[in-house]
Amino acid sequence: MPVDTHDTTAALSQLATDIVDIIKGYEVMEKRADADLRPIAQRLHALHEAHAAELMTVMEEMGGHPEDTGSMMGAVNQAVAAGRDWFDALDHSTLPWILTGEQRLLHSYDAALAAAETRPELQEILLDQRAALEAQIDALRTG
């Protein structure tokens, strides 16, 4: 469902949901990943947890009542991570899948940034979070 790019609360809510959905996949990966992938999953999980907490606080300050349960996509992320472990391996071959999910999250940040264009304090938070995510994506591509 497309996000109303003029509704800051809706865009932030969608971003928070997308982050929670990714967190659910990393929860599975942390438990099942091999020794090489586990630190990557832990690092990304911690980053997304911190970002989600910050967004939830911002949304509450805006008068919203954010949900932190995610969407059906969170269950899909968990199932895909578990399935890869059962039928393949949660190792470095999983990186393209991780990168695809992180790239999708960048698009959610872009939508939230567009909706927050009249709120410089919110833009600063979103830009900082997006930059931190981009740095992690770059590290995965080059590392």
Side-chain angles (χ1 to χ4, degrees):
M1 177 165 134
V3 174
D4 179 355
T5 57
H6 299 291
D7 183 346
T8 306
T9 305
L12 283 180
S13 180
Q14 184 61 54
L15 175 58
T17 297
D18 293 346
I19 292 171
V20 170
D21 289 345
I22 281 188
I23 287 169
K24 289 182 179 185
Y26 287 125
E27 287 170 349
V28 172
M29 290 177 70
E30 278 189 60
K31 295 174 190 164
R32 298 176 179 224
D34 73 3
D36 291 333
L37 185 62
R38 187 169 293 121
I40 294 168
Q42 290 169 331
R43 186 175 66 241
L44 289 168
H45 184 189
L47 176 77
H48 293 310
E49 285 281 357
H51 288 174
E54 185 175 29
L55 285 177
M56 297 296 176
T57 299
V58 167
M59 289 169 45
E60 287 171 0
E61 289 171 355
M62 291 172 58
H65 302 286
E67 295 285 330
D68 63 355
T69 57
S71 70
M72 191 62 189
M73 193 62 187
V76 170
N77 287 342
Q78 287 176 320
V80 168
R84 278 195 64 98
D85 182 40
W86 291 331
F87 298 111
D88 196 3
L90 284 175
D91 58 16
H92 275 281
S93 69
T94 309
L95 286 178
W97 176 68
I98 291 171
L99 285 167
T100 298
E102 298 298 342
Q103 287 289 115
R104 269 190 241 130
L105 192 54
L106 286 177
H107 294 295
S108 293
Y109 273 100
D110 292 340
L113 281 160
E117 67 185 358
T118 61
R119 302 199 50 177
E121 73 288 350
L122 181 55
Q123 284 240 319
E124 184 178 341
I125 292 168
L126 294 172
L127 286 169
D128 286 349
Q129 288 188 5
R130 191 183 190 289
L133 176 57
E134 259 188 323
Q136 291 299 314
I137 290 170
D138 289 345
L140 288 174
R141 285 188 181 136
T142 60

